[in-house]
Amino acid sequence: PCPPRPGFASRRRPPSLCVLRGAPPADSSMFALRRAPRLARVATATASRRSLFGYSSQEVAGMSVIGLAGAAAATVAVGLGVGTMVAIDMGAVPVMAAGKSVNYDALRSDIADAIEADNDRRNDGTSIGPTLVRLAWHASGTYCAKTGDGGSDGATMRFSPESDFGANAGLGLARSFLEPIAAKYPGLSTADLWVFASLVAIEEMGGPRIEFRPGRTDAADASACPPDGRLPDADKGSEPATVQHIKDIFYRMGFSDREIVALCGAHALGRCHTDRSGYWGPWTNAETTFSNEYYRLLVEEKWTPKKKHNGKPWKGPMQYENPDGTLMMLPSDMALLAEPFKQYTEMYAKDEEKFFKDFAAAYKKLVEFNCKSLQSAGIIAWFRSLFG
């Protein structure tokens, strides 16, 4: 069985292993100073060690310009070298967006609370969290490096035809879910909200904290919508064709083979629905827990074409299932066992820490494509040069 949470000095166990056994995973941090994520239905704490001024380097990277300046000024006021903890957290100081301030600490809490309330309402083990990740992923994954259009900036999925693309079926649920939160923060663009909500959801489900930089704007109308066909399809009829399709989609944006496999790890979350994609089932037994379980199952389980569903012939599109039929893989998932992706799939199956690190970097890259007005990181570099 999973050990009890040992407190302040342990490494995090893969959440999925503990979820499967019905016990909470171990604490992931040195000092549990932040509110623990709740979405994974396990008490996974994900705080980090504080540096001289009360921040880890990761938190400094995510702080606003105003927040950094305030932290520096406060430190100088009490005397350098004293080691006083500056009580300013990421987002606690308002960040200017669209001419109005946005308190990202309060926003983070509101999103997490709304997710938890929705989970309680569902009471079936599913969550809106994976759909929030899919919303931001699909809003961002339309980017084309060659033409310089698409991406998360603009939040163009608010408009038809993009909202009606087959790949975006079911995402109206996530967009509607966020509308009350958007109304509470008039200085926040919809584009920023979609991305930020996905980062909160990932962390609430036990995943890594990913740096957020605001500054996305909202398009005025549908003229900014990208063409259909830029998001990944689940199947192109054969393994070679599906592998080539994956390359075409991700290379178009500028991703490497390793980044491609890392981003596909988001399939650890959620499930397919017959009334949306036509496919059925979850990828893992812990669909609200962010982990490397997707890769482990992909490598270790025996996957065969699905023939039956609930005792009747399967009439849906081609998909794979595990021996007892409770889990599924798409043809595009199985393509990750082919070259040039196999080595990275096997690597992440064995090393969750490496997966988390690579996913965080690749996902940040994805959601920032074609975003020309993001907050400058110059002061962050300056702060680090002064204080390390």
Side-chain angles (χ1 to χ4, degrees), residues 1-7 10-14 17-18 21-27:
C2 291
R5 298 180 65 189
S10 68
R11 297 177 64 83
R12 192 174 66 81
R13 288 177 61 91
L17 302 182
C18 297
R21 298 173 187 173
D27 200 336

Side-chain angles (χ1 to χ4, degrees), residues 29-40:
S29 62
M30 289 295 292
F31 297 102
L33 298 179
R34 290 192 296 106
R35 175 175 57 84
R38 300 162 296 180
L39 182 54

Side-chain angles (χ1 to χ4, degrees), residues 48-72:
S48 57
R49 185 197 304 264
R50 301 292 171 145
S51 66
L52 177 64
F53 305 109
Y55 302 102
S56 67
S57 59
Q58 185 181 21
E59 288 173 314
V60 169
M63 289 176 65
S64 69
V65 171
I66 299 172
L68 282 170

Side-chain angles (χ1 to χ4, degrees), residues 63-143:
M63 289 176 65
S64 69
V65 171
I66 299 172
L68 282 170
T75 302
V76 172
V78 299
L80 289 173
V82 175
T84 301
M85 299 289 282
V86 180
I88 303 174
D89 202 353
M90 186 179 78
V93 174
V95 179
M96 296 305 292
K100 297 182 179 180
S101 64
V102 176
N103 187 319
Y104 282 89
D105 192 53
L107 176 61
R108 177 185 292 274
S109 182
D110 284 345
I111 293 171
D113 289 345
I115 292 173
E116 186 172 36
D118 188 73
N119 291 348
D120 292 342
R121 179 188 60 78
R122 295 182 180 211
N123 196 32
D124 60 1
T126 67
S127 173
I128 191 67
T131 312
L132 294 175
V133 178
R134 181 168 166 250
L135 172 64
W137 208 117
H138 283 215
S140 306
T142 59
Y143 173 68

